[in-house]
Amino acid sequence: MSSAYAKRFEAVFLCNHPKGPKMSFAAAAKYMHKSQTFVRKWVTRFEDTKTVDNLPNRGLKRGSLSREDNAIVQLYTKKPTLPLRKARAMLLKKNINVSIMTIKRRLKEENICWRSTIQKPLLSLKHVEKRLAWARENVSRDWDNIVFTDECSFWGWLPIKKAWSIQKVPYVQRTVKHAIKVHVWGCFNVRGFGTLCLFTNNLNAIKMKKIYQRGLLTSTNKWFNKYNEKWILQEDNDPKHRSRLCTEWKTANGIVTLDWPSQSPDANPIENVWALMKQKLQGKRLHSVKSLSNQIRRIWRSLPVSYAERLVENMPKRCEAIIANAGDWTQY
C-alpha cells in the first residue's frame, strides 16, 4: 500500500471506524498533520463508496482535439529541434490555439521527449557508397579470426552527465581547466581482451610500430599461435596506421589488414568498450597519471571474455544495419 492510500485509510479509521477513537475532523487533521479538507473528503468518500480510490474521469479535461494532437506530433516529427514557443506560434497560424503545456503533454503521450542528441560523422556520398559496399561484402564473414583495435584518450576528471537533485537546486560539479590525460591502444578478439598499451605523448608512426610489437603480437601469439590459426588485423584509416614504416613492418611480419571504410566508428565494436570504460570512470577525481593509468588497467582487466564474444557475435547485425540504412550512419 502506498503512503497516500495509508493516510486516507488512517483518516477513515480515526473518524469513522467502529474500533477507532471517533475523532472529529479537526482533531484527526491535527493528529495527522493534514488539513481538515483532506480528512473530510476521504471520510465522506468512504461513507459513500466504501473505498478511498480516486474517482474515474478525474483531472484536467483534454484541451485539444484529435486533429490538433496530430498536427503537434507531425510538426515535431519534421522539426525535432523546434522551441516550444515557436511551435505554438506556428500552430496559431493554422488556427490551432493550444498552450505550451498542452504541446508538452501531447509530445509526452507519443514518447517524444527532450533528449540528448547523438553526434555522428558527416558522410559524403563517397563514404556512404564505400560503407554500403563494405557491409555487403563482410556481412557473412567469419569474425572469430579478426583482431579489433583502436586508440582512445581518457581524462582524470570526467564529469557525471546526469544526477538526481532537488528542483531549482542544481547539482554542481567542480571542473579543472587542464585535467590529466592518458592515451591508450587496445585490442580484443572473440577469445578475450589483449594487451593494453598506455602513453601520454602524441602517437606517431615510430611509436605505433612499437605498439604493434608490444601489444598486438603479444596478444595474437597468445590467441592464435597455439592453434596455428591465421588472423586478420582490423584498424581504421589513421595516417599512422597507413604510414610507410608501419605498412612495411606489417608486410614483413605477414600481417593481413582488413579493408575498412572511412568515417565508420559505428562499425567498430571496440568503441563500445571505450564508452563502457569511460562510464566506469565518471565521477572519479584522479590527480596523477599513475592513478589514472592504474584505474584504466583495472577496468580493462575486469572485462569478461563473454563481453568480447557478444561484441564479435554482433558484427553481422552491424553490417545489416548499414545495409538497411543504405550506407548511412547507424545507431551503434
Side-chain angles (χ1 to χ4, degrees):
M1 182 187 296
S2 66
S3 59
Y5 268 81
K7 283 292 182 182
R8 297 173 188 178
F9 279 114
E10 184 181 3
V12 174
F13 176 79
L14 293 175
C15 298
N16 204 26
H17 197 274
K19 295 184 179 181
K22 301 288 185 179
M23 289 184 178
S24 64
F25 292 156
K30 185 176 181 180
Y31 176 81
M32 296 174 59
H33 302 287
K34 290 285 187 178
S35 66
Q36 291 188 41
T37 304
F38 174 89
V39 176
R40 184 182 295 106
K41 172 184 175 180
W42 293 113
V43 171
T44 305
R45 176 75 57 80
F46 188 82
E47 290 174 349
D48 295 340
T49 64
K50 302 303 179 183
T51 181
V52 290
D53 292 337
N54 293 317
L55 295 175
N57 301 323
R58 62 188 292 272
L60 293 173
K61 292 184 178 179
R62 196 170 185 85
S64 59
L65 303 175
S66 177
R67 174 184 63 84
E68 297 171 339
D69 297 344
N70 293 334
I72 294 171
V73 174
Q74 289 177 6
L75 180 61
Y76 274 91
T77 302
K78 295 178 181 178
K79 299 181 179 181
T81 60
L82 194 64
L84 291 171
R85 292 185 180 277
K86 188 173 289 187
R88 183 172 185 272
M90 293 176 69
L91 291 169
L92 280 172
K93 292 180 180 180
K94 298 180 181 180
N95 295 323
I96 300 175
N97 187 8
V98 292
S99 66
I100 290 177
M101 286 304 300
T102 298
I103 296 174
K104 292 175 72 173
R105 291 192 189 99
R106 300 303 166 261
L107 295 176
K108 188 175 181 180
E109 289 172 359
E110 297 296 326
N111 197 26
I112 301 175
C113 305
W114 185 257
R115 297 184 176 94
S116 300
T117 59
I118 300 175
Q119 297 183 5
K120 292 290 183 178
L122 180 63
L123 300 177
S124 65
L125 180 61
K126 186 177 179 181
H127 291 146
V128 170
E129 291 174 349
K130 286 190 174 182
R131 280 166 53 89
L132 182 59
W134 176 88
R136 286 172 174 168
E137 182 182 351
N138 291 278
V139 66
S140 300
R141 172 186 286 277
D142 180 12
W143 295 94
D144 289 356
N145 67 334
I146 303 296
V147 178
F148 297 93
T149 68
D150 195 23
E151 300 88 29
C152 186
S153 298
F154 292 87
W155 284 263
W157 203 277
L158 286 176
I160 299 171
K161 293 183 178 180
K162 292 183 179 180
W164 294 103
S165 61
I166 300 172
Q167 191 176 11
K168 297 182 180 180
V169 182
Y171 178 79
V172 179
Q173 295 185 83
R174 302 292 183 180
T175 60
V176 295
K177 271 192 174 182
H178 305 290
I180 57 170
K181 181 169 64 172
V182 172
H183 310 290
V184 303
W185 176 94
C187 65
F188 82 92
N189 179 260
V190 71
R191 296 163 178 82
F193 294 89
T195 303
L196 191 69
C197 298
L198 284 72
F199 51 96
T200 54
N201 298 328
N202 292 333
L203 185 61
N204 54 30
I206 297 173
K207 188 170 291 184
M208 192 70 243
K209 177 184 171 183
K210 293 180 180 178
I211 289 176
Y212 286 147
Q213 294 170 331
R214 183 164 55 93
L216 180 63
L217 290 186
T218 303
S219 303
T220 54
N221 288 340
K222 178 179 65 175
W223 291 330
F224 299 100
N225 277 8
K226 181 179 178 182
Y227 306 99
N228 196 24
E229 293 184 40
K230 293 183 179 180
W231 55 275
I232 300 174
L233 171 65
Q234 178 279 326
E235 57 184 2
D236 58 28
N237 296 313
D238 190 287
K240 294 178 284 294
H241 303 155
R242 306 179 70 178
S243 65
R244 182 176 178 180
L245 179 65
C246 292
T247 302
E248 290 177 351
W249 183 89
K250 285 181 282 189
T251 302
N253 286 271
I255 297 176
V256 179
T257 305
L258 177 66
D259 183 39
W260 196 256
S262 300
Q263 299 294 330
S264 300
D266 55 342
N268 193 349
I270 203 170
E271 296 290 347
N272 295 67
V273 180
W274 301 142
L276 176 63
M277 293 178 66
K278 288 181 177 180
Q279 183 181 0
K280 290 179 178 293
L281 282 172
Q282 274 187 1
K284 295 185 181 296
R285 298 294 180 258
L286 304 171
H287 301 278
S288 67
V289 172
K290 183 179 179 180
S291 60
L292 176 58
S293 300
N294 290 338
Q295 287 289 334
I296 293 171
R297 288 194 179 95
R298 182 187 61 79
I299 296 171
W300 180 263
R301 287 194 297 265
S302 69
L303 297 174
V305 176
S306 58
Y307 181 46
E309 291 174 350
R310 291 198 303 271
L311 291 173
V312 176
E313 289 172 0
N314 202 42
M315 281 304 299
K317 292 184 179 179
R318 291 176 185 261
C319 295
E320 290 169 1
I322 294 174
I323 295 171
N325 287 357
D328 206 349
W329 63 270
T330 66
Q331 293 286 355
Y332 286 97

